[in-house]
Amino acid sequence: QWTAVAAFLYGEIGVILVLCLPFISPLRWQKIFMFPLWSKMAVFWNKMFLTIIVLLIILFLDAVREVRKYSSVHVNEKAANVNSSAFDHIQMKLFRSQRNLYLSGFSLFLWLVLRRTVTLLTQLAKEMASHAALETQVNDATEAAKKYMAENERLQEALSGKGDSKKKESTDATEEKLKEEIERLKAELQKTSNAFHKAKTEGAAVKKQSEGLRREYEHLMKEFEQLQQRLNKAEDKKDL
């Protein structure tokens, strides 16, 4: 079972490293997550997540129990000055229980980190898509406003030399209508611009949170390497 836990831990590390690759954008990850295969598995995702969490917690508690058990036995046997073979056997059991504790603990932690990373990538991809849509809408509204203003200028130039009162009234009505349309477009442009800035701010917050998660993951990897080096040194001492 601990071999399976170790394989699961290394698999988690590999998946998180792939998710953190800088040249794969969140939009690309969202397309990958939208495959029909994942949508079929989504029904069982929560159940699988809770099942793995429960199993890892059970294994973690079992490892804690083993560490406490062999730590107390280790101290008692050392104080009793028994033969070296029994003492080495207890020390080996203690080392294995500590190794199992590290495996189960890091597996549990990385499983939570993995789910959080996927959630943040999905949210960031949605914000980027919304940002692109709002930018397109702002550009369209700006082009429409420029078009109406150009038409207004052409009408003013065409009717500037005519003094007929009816035509002036018709021109004034047309100008009023165009002004109202321009005001409406300006209000829509302002609303779209506000929504664009809001989406940009939210995207920056999600990006900042993602950077914090990346730094936390790098710190975790450094601690894991240090623990691995300690385990290797303990094995070397045992071999000696």
Side-chain angles (χ1 to χ4, degrees):
Q1 65 183 11
W2 294 110
T3 303
V5 173
F8 184 74
L9 173 62
Y10 295 139
E12 287 177 326
I13 294 174
V15 172
I16 292 176
L17 287 176
V18 173
L19 290 175
C20 293
L21 291 177
F23 55 84
I24 303 180
S25 65
L27 293 175
R28 182 69 59 83
W29 281 119
Q30 189 183 30
K31 292 180 180 179
I32 295 175
F33 296 154
M34 294 300 292
F35 282 167
L37 176 62
W38 304 119
S39 61
K40 294 179 181 179
M41 293 178 59
V43 180
F44 307 99
W45 170 249
N46 289 328
K47 294 181 180 179
M48 182 181 68
F49 177 79
L50 292 176
T51 302
I52 294 178
I53 286 291
V54 171
L55 290 176
L56 290 176
I57 290 175
I58 292 173
L59 291 174
F60 180 76
L61 294 176
D62 180 67
V64 171
R65 182 184 62 83
E66 292 292 323
V67 169
R68 295 183 62 182
K69 172 184 174 182
Y70 288 111
S71 295
S72 60
V73 175
H74 175 77
V75 173
N76 294 333
E77 293 294 338
K78 185 176 181 180
N81 294 323
V82 296
N83 54 23
S84 60
S85 60
F87 182 76
D88 291 339
H89 180 74
I90 294 172
Q91 191 174 13
M92 180 188 67
K93 290 288 188 180
L94 177 61
F95 169 75
R96 289 182 178 178
S97 60
Q98 290 174 342
R99 178 202 61 186
N100 296 337
L101 177 64
Y102 294 142
L103 289 176
S104 58
F106 277 107
S107 297
L108 180 62
F109 178 74
L110 288 181
W111 184 242
L112 297 174
V113 171
L114 179 60
R115 182 171 184 177
R116 183 61 178 169
T117 303
V118 173
T119 303
L120 289 175
L121 285 174
T122 304
Q123 292 178 355
L124 183 58
K126 291 180 180 179
E127 292 297 333
M128 292 176 67
S130 176
H131 178 275
L134 287 173
E135 188 174 1
T136 303
Q137 189 176 0
V138 168
N139 292 332
D140 293 341
T142 304
E143 292 296 329
K146 290 180 179 179
K147 180 180 178 181
Y148 280 116
M149 292 180 68
E151 291 179 357
N152 187 23
E153 290 178 357
R154 285 197 299 269
L155 285 173
Q156 288 179 353
E157 291 176 357
L159 298 175
S160 60
K162 298 181 179 180
D164 188 71
S165 61
K166 293 183 179 180
K167 291 184 178 180
K168 284 185 178 181
E169 292 177 357
S170 177
T171 302
D172 293 339
T174 304
E175 289 181 355
E176 290 295 330
K177 185 177 180 181
L178 287 173
K179 288 180 180 179
E180 292 177 357
E181 187 69 21
I182 290 172
E183 291 297 329
R184 186 183 65 81
L185 288 173
K186 286 182 178 180
E188 183 178 353
L189 179 61
Q190 183 66 30
K191 183 179 179 181
T192 306
S193 178
N194 293 335
F196 172 74
H197 287 300
K198 181 179 179 182
K200 185 176 181 181
T201 303
E202 292 177 355
V206 173
K207 184 177 180 181
K208 183 177 179 182
Q209 189 176 6
S210 178
E211 289 293 329
L213 180 62
R214 182 181 63 80
R215 289 193 296 268
E216 182 181 354
Y217 173 74
E218 291 177 354
H219 179 67
L220 176 63
M221 290 300 299
K222 291 180 180 179
E223 292 183 355
F224 179 76
E225 291 177 358
Q226 292 176 359
L227 290 173
Q228 192 70 30
Q229 292 176 359
R230 292 178 183 176
L231 291 176
N232 292 333
K233 289 180 180 180
E235 290 180 355
D236 294 337
K237 290 180 179 180
K238 181 178 176 301
D239 292 336
L240 292 175

